[in-house]
Amino acid sequence: MKQAGFPLGILLLFWVSYVTDFSLVLLIKGGALSGTDTYQSLVNKTFGFPGYLLLSVLQFLYPFIAMISYNIIAGDTLSKVFQRIPGVDPENVFIGRHFIIGLSTVTFTLPLSLYRNIAKLGKVSLISTGLTTLILGIVMARAISLGPHIPKTEDAWVFAKPNAIQAVGVMSFAFICHHNSFLVYSSLEEPTVAKWSRLIHMSIVISVFICIFFATCGYLTFTGFTQGDLFENYCRNDDLVTFGRFCYGVTVILTYPMECFVTREVIANVFFGGNLSSVFHIVVTVMVITVATLVSLLIDCLGIVLELNGVLCATPLIFIIPSACYLKLSEEPRTHSDKIMSCVMLPIGAVVMVFGFVMAITNPQDCTHGQEMFYCFPDNFSLTNTSESHVPQTTQLSILNISIFQ
């Protein structure tokens, strides 16, 4: 919402969700047409070994970078949770983001990621979904109680902003599940395209409304001050939000293994012929998680991670590759609705990918890097009236932070 403009952001959310729904069904249709049961084998049969290698790189990078982003979220959110424990020194190294990332990796994400069958994560996913509902309730409650007390930025309600393409990248990151769609499809009882289509339609409808509620409540509360990680906007002494942070941290920890499954499958297919022995299964899992953890310890700005992963990896996996495969495999007439939509999606995906990358590099999101926002300090509230100010938002926020921490 912050990058696209609120009204355009809502429209883009619906559009990206529709494209996601269409391309997920298209992907499985392509698998049926080619007689393949994995994303990689589909592209290999359609475009040969070069296409297979390109997809393998994208299919590895997307979940791998997602693992990094989940670690960043877990470290940022859970460190603030532990700081609220009475008697705990906020500077204690054992509640710092680095220690928490390492602890959660060893205790939860690594053991869960060592499963060989993705179906075993079904109950874990159900828990994650339940926690998401609780988090949404907290964000909605704070939109009502906190939103009216935070000044609105000058351009809060413009229809569109020039960074809309970056917003598409973030939305693509949020909706993409193409990299593990064949894994989920094969886990269904008696999988068929019709059953898959019903499942996808229902899942996308639920997901888009959850995203809209989150985005609307978050943006209405903070407008132009919204951070890449929404929970970075809330004050540390807010106990209700502290509970929300705890739920959020647990949710991403439980989601993490789904991404690790995909990275491991890509490595298995490219280097081990699709099968990993018990020893190599453990070795590959530990290596992937170790590298992801080390990288996440060095990065603390979530927004740029989401944008780059969205435009460079999610966009081709959603827009470009499923469309290209279907167009080459299908023998339907050119006027068929699936072919028309594929012809539209492919060039749009290319534009979003190229321009989104350029804009993400030249116009990176602001990050508070764990600092308290200015409105968390009552004595500084009178300093700002951004709805009337002509000072650019980023400059004004910097001035406010300087005045707070001096």
Side-chain angles (χ1 to χ4, degrees):
M1 301 301 105
K2 174 185 174 182
Q3 298 287 63
F6 183 70
L8 179 60
I10 296 294
L11 295 176
L12 286 175
L13 264 176
F14 278 111
W15 177 68
V16 172
S17 68
Y18 171 76
V19 170
T20 303
D21 181 289
F22 176 82
S23 62
L24 282 168
V25 176
L26 202 66
L27 197 61
I28 299 302
K29 286 182 179 179
L33 289 170
S34 61
T36 55
D37 58 359
T38 68
Y39 202 166
Q40 289 168 294
S41 58
L42 166 62
V43 175
N44 190 23
K45 191 163 185 177
T46 308
F47 295 106
F49 189 68
Y52 170 80
L53 279 182
L54 176 61
L55 176 73
S56 297
V57 171
L58 293 173
Q59 205 173 8
F60 175 85
L61 284 177
Y62 171 79
F64 181 75
I65 298 175
M67 290 163 63
I68 295 171
S69 68
Y70 292 159
N71 276 336
I72 294 172
I73 293 171
D76 288 343
T77 56
L78 294 179
S79 62
K80 293 179 176 62
V81 171
F82 294 139
Q83 287 173 8
R84 291 294 295 159
I85 299 176
V88 172
D89 181 5
E91 302 300 323
N92 191 319
V93 67
F94 293 108
I95 62 169
R97 64 182 299 272
H98 294 84
F99 181 80
I100 289 172
I101 289 173
L103 181 64
S104 64
T105 297
V106 173
T107 309
F108 297 105
T109 55
L110 178 58
L112 289 172
S113 298
L114 286 171
Y115 280 122
R116 298 184 74 99
N117 187 353
I118 199 169
K120 290 186 177 180
L121 296 178
K123 292 182 180 179
V124 171
S125 297
L126 183 62
I127 294 172
S128 179
T129 303
L131 291 175
T132 299
T133 305
L134 285 174
I135 299 167
L136 177 58
I138 292 170
V139 172
M140 293 173 69
R142 281 295 174 258
I144 297 172
S145 61
L146 181 62
H149 303 289
I150 296 178
K152 309 308 176 188
T153 49
E154 185 177 15
D155 59 350
W157 311 118
V158 298
F159 179 82
K161 296 180 182 178
N163 296 62
I165 290 182
Q166 290 170 263
V168 174
V170 175
M171 293 172 190
S172 299
F173 175 90
F175 278 99
I176 186 175
C177 50
H178 299 59
H179 55 298
N180 56 27
S181 57
F182 278 99
L183 286 172
V184 178
Y185 177 74
S186 62
S187 72
L188 298 176
E189 294 182 8
E190 300 178 2
T192 64
V193 174
K195 182 183 289 187
W196 175 256
S197 298
R198 290 193 299 270
L199 174 66
I200 290 303
H201 297 334
M202 179 177 65
S203 300
I204 292 296
V205 167
I206 294 172
S207 297
V208 70
F209 279 104
I210 289 175
C211 282
I212 285 176
F213 279 123
F214 264 119
T216 300
C217 293
Y219 187 77
L220 290 180
T221 308
F222 304 110
T223 59
F225 299 115
T226 305
Q227 297 294 300
D229 180 351
L230 182 62
F231 272 98
E232 287 291 286
N233 279 100
Y234 295 101
C235 304
R236 298 187 187 186
N237 61 356
D238 188 328
D239 291 331
L240 179 62
V241 171
T242 297
F243 175 67
R245 287 191 175 107
F246 175 76
C247 294
Y248 188 33
V250 173
T251 298
V252 298
I253 288 173
L254 297 180
T255 307
Y256 185 105
M258 293 283 287
E259 309 300 345
C260 187
F261 265 71
V262 181
T263 60
R264 186 174 59 226
E265 184 196 39
V266 172
I267 293 174
N269 289 336
V270 173
F271 298 104
F272 298 94
N275 293 310
L276 288 173
S277 65
S278 297
V279 173
F280 278 106
H281 173 84
I282 295 173
V283 170
V284 170
T285 303
V286 171
M287 287 181 62
V288 168
I289 290 179
T290 299
V291 175
T293 301
L294 292 175
V295 174
S296 61
L297 293 175
L298 301 174
I299 301 174
D300 62 354
C301 189
L302 182 64
I304 187 64
V305 176
L306 299 182
E307 284 186 7
L308 289 177
N309 203 15
V311 297
L312 292 180
C313 301
T315 299
L317 289 171
I318 292 178
F319 291 80
I320 300 174
I321 298 176
S323 301
C325 288
Y326 184 80
L327 287 172
K328 188 168 183 179
L329 292 170
S330 177
E331 297 180 356
E332 298 287 351
R334 295 180 180 179
T335 55
H336 191 275
S337 59
D338 286 349
K339 280 203 168 182
I340 294 174
M341 184 63 182
S342 297
C343 290
V344 172
M345 283 171 50
L346 203 154
I348 290 177
V351 170
V352 171
M353 184 177 177
V354 173
F355 286 93
F357 173 73
V358 173
M359 295 184 70
I361 297 299
T362 57
N363 299 287
Q365 290 192 35
D366 296 319
C367 285
T368 61
H369 300 288
Q371 296 177 2
E372 284 278 65
M373 301 296 285
F374 69 91
Y375 44 75
C376 296
F377 300 83
D379 292 341
N380 290 281
F381 231 89
S382 60
L383 289 173
T384 178
N385 183 6
T386 53
S387 61
E388 297 178 1
S389 173
H390 297 289
V391 180
Q393 172 199 315
T394 53
T395 304
Q396 187 175 44
L397 186 54
S398 300
I399 294 171
L400 290 167
N401 281 331
I402 291 170
S403 69
I404 290 167
F405 291 103
Q406 282 182 339

